Amino acid sequence: SLHDALPIFLEKLIVQYKPVHKIKVLSTTDNYAEERGIPADKSAMFFCYMGLASTVSRICVSRICDSQCINAQTIIQGALLSISAATGLLPFASAYYHIMVYALVFGFCDGCFGGCINFQVIGCVQSHCTSKAFGFWMGVTSPSLAAGPPIAGESVKLNSG
């Protein structure tokens, strides 16, 4: 129903813009890390930590959401709250391990969102419409996913120059 689908759509729309922030913070990690005494080659590993945590959490959370007693919406809200808290604490990160923990938390929560959103999309329609719902979902979110990296790159160029 629209009552169920609208909040999910709005959350996904908001989360689609997180890569812009993530790239803004982490693409300038060399400078951010250098200010904290972290070499550039070590700071590049933050992307690996984030990707690994995201992959593992997508698999685990998807398995958890398969059970009927778990509410995927609650997991999504908890993940978004955790991402917000971690990002709010990021300016206080002063060592390599602090930023590594941020990358792991961010990646884990991103994976939680990615694993749960499919259950939300498919769960808000009747069983014979699940393929249409999933296709519509991919069609709606694809433009922002495709446009995000170039916009983020331009944003970094404009803000760093």
Side-chain angles (χ1 to χ4, degrees):
S1 73
L2 183 61
H3 180 323
D4 293 332
L6 189 59
I8 295 168
F9 173 76
L10 292 175
E11 282 182 16
K12 183 64 175 177
L13 188 64
I14 290 166
V15 171
Q16 288 307 313
Y17 289 102
K18 76 172 176 355
V20 174
H21 170 72
K22 179 170 57 175
I23 289 171
K24 173 84 171 97
V25 170
L26 291 178
S27 69
T28 58
T29 341
D30 292 342
N31 296 337
Y32 188 78
E34 283 176 8
E35 291 171 5
R36 284 150 184 78
I38 302 168
D41 59 331
K42 283 185 122 184
S43 66
M45 289 300 295
F46 297 139
F47 286 109
C48 296
Y49 300 141
M50 194 177 299
L52 184 62
S54 179
T55 302
V56 169
S57 68
R58 283 175 196 262
I59 294 168
C60 295
V61 169
S62 294
R63 291 284 185 190
I64 291 169
C65 285
D66 274 338
S67 74
Q68 297 297 325
C69 63
I70 301 296
N71 185 352
Q73 182 67 22
T74 305
I75 294 174
I76 289 172
Q77 289 173 341
L80 293 175
L81 179 65
S82 299
I83 285 174
S84 300
T87 303
L89 293 172
L90 185 60
F92 301 108
S94 59
Y96 177 81
Y97 294 105
H98 298 152
I99 302 171
M100 181 183 73
V101 168
Y102 170 77
L104 290 171
V105 167
F106 197 101
F108 181 82
C109 293
D110 179 56
C112 287
F113 181 84
C116 290
I117 198 66
N118 296 324
F119 288 95
Q120 291 288 67
V121 169
I122 291 171
C124 69
V125 295
Q126 296 174 351
S127 61
H128 68 279
C129 295
T130 55
S131 61
K132 289 179 189 174
F134 190 73
F136 180 74
W137 178 249
M138 292 295 111
V140 166
T141 59
S142 293
S144 63
L145 287 170
I151 291 171
E154 285 301 315
S155 150
V156 168
K157 271 199 250 178
L158 290 173
N159 291 328
S160 66

